Amino acid sequence: MEWYWLFVAAVMAMFIGWRHEVGGDWISYLVYVDDLVGESVSAIRVNNDPAYAVLNWIGANVFGDVYFTNIVSGIIFTGGLFYFCKKLSRPWLGLFVAIPYLVNVVAMGYTRQGVAIGLAMVAIAKLLFENNAGKFLIWIALAAAFHKSAVVLILVALLAGSKGKWLKFFMVAVSAPFLFVLLLQESMDSLVRGYIEAEYSSAGADIRVFMNALPACLFLVFKNRFELKDEHKVFWTWISLLALAFVLLLKISPSSTAVDRLALYWIPLQILVWSSIPDVLGRKGGKNYKWSGLVISSQIFVLMVWLFFSNNSDAWIPYKFYPWEWIWS
């Protein structure tokens, strides 16, 4: 990776990880750390997002408090995002598309799931560009260790075209029950009570699902103009159809929160489609600055709408950088 990519990645990781009192779940994450202060390693429970619990235990009992957890999480998420974007035809544009919501809201608001999505993006890249279902499943397992909901992406391995289809089917059939028992079985009742029976709802869930549905429609309409291998087009076609299915699921599900959280794993579709728009709608082989500018403007608009109209954006404003706050405290 070129030095300037590493520099930008380092800045982004610090921006995410060394935030202070920023994010809608900031208090909840402080509680996670406080609950593990003075506890033995055995206090870490498998059904409690074990990888994230390990980071919290180290932060609580070795060094760093919640800031250790956040900076490690920020590094993992950023690494996954950059790894995925580097595979795109316009990696810098893909990275810019990720900033308004995935970086700003998800990575700095839903820390555990942000890490899971970062690892899931590595998994998708391994599946598509290396055609390696084994590595895909390993990365998904790591993602699920940070947030159990990532297990749903195991089935995605079957969508990546026909090459090695039966091997992928066999690996999914073997690994899915194992991961379910390991990560989900003990907490299934609490998940059902928490999301379904309680009928939790997320403000703005319909907008976030629409943010996936729009690029899904664009991909389905213009997929033949995308410079992708045929098996990759098959994969993203299925992902697009599932993104549209979330719109219907949101209407019939008793819990919009459950749908909203699962739909976050479809954000890579946004990154792929919007970063490809200049080449899809512009002149083939051209710079297409007009279309790139339009994509950039649209993402700035998304950020502005969220900042000024979101019910929870005040938890992000003003942004406070921990080292700066520590120096002046």
Side-chain angles (χ1 to χ4, degrees), residues 13-227:
M14 288 189 293
F15 180 78
I16 295 170
W18 274 337
R19 65 190 187 276
H20 175 69
E21 296 179 351
V22 173
D25 290 341
W26 176 261
I27 300 300
S28 299
Y29 290 125
L30 288 179
V31 172
Y32 288 147
V33 174
D34 290 342
D35 286 346
L36 289 171
V37 173
E39 296 288 343
S40 65
V41 178
S42 61
I44 299 173
R45 299 171 58 189
V46 171
N47 68 327
N48 200 29
D49 296 323
Y52 186 73
V54 168
L55 290 184
N56 277 301
W57 185 89
I58 296 173
N61 296 286
V62 182
F63 56 86
D65 201 10
V66 73
Y67 304 102
F68 171 81
T69 303
N70 286 349
I71 192 63
V72 174
S73 297
I75 291 171
I76 296 172
F77 165 80
T78 302
L81 172 62
F82 273 63
Y83 188 85
F84 180 80
C85 287
K86 285 284 285 182
K87 304 295 184 181
L88 303 176
S89 60
R90 292 177 180 259
W92 285 109
L93 189 57
L95 184 62
F96 191 89
V97 169
I99 290 174
Y101 191 75
L102 180 58
V103 173
N104 188 53
V105 181
V106 177
M108 295 202 295
Y110 316 141
T111 304
R112 289 176 299 164
Q113 196 166 7
V115 176
I117 293 171
L119 294 171
M121 286 191 286
V122 176
I124 292 172
K126 294 291 184 183
L127 180 65
L128 293 182
F129 299 101
E130 297 181 17
N131 194 39
N132 194 319
K135 289 183 179 180
F136 170 84
L137 292 171
I138 291 172
W139 283 99
I140 290 300
L142 290 173
F146 279 92
H147 203 279
K148 301 180 190 70
S149 59
V151 171
V152 71
L153 291 176
I154 290 178
L155 299 178
V156 167
L158 300 177
L159 306 179
S162 58
K163 189 176 181 180
K165 181 177 180 179
W166 291 108
L167 176 61
K168 293 171 186 174
F169 181 83
F170 174 76
M171 296 181 72
V172 168
V174 171
S175 62
F178 173 75
L179 288 176
F180 175 83
V181 172
L182 181 64
L183 295 167
L184 284 179
Q185 188 178 41
E186 292 186 27
S187 57
M188 202 63 191
D189 289 341
S190 62
L191 287 172
V192 171
R193 288 195 303 270
Y195 285 118
I196 307 302
E197 293 179 4
E199 299 185 7
Y200 284 174
S201 61
S202 296
D206 51 346
I207 296 175
R208 289 186 288 275
V209 169
F210 174 78
M211 287 172 66
N212 288 337
L214 180 57
C217 290
L218 289 172
F219 182 82
L220 293 173
V221 172
F222 297 107
K223 67 178 179 180
N224 290 330
R225 297 188 185 182
F226 281 76
E227 296 181 358

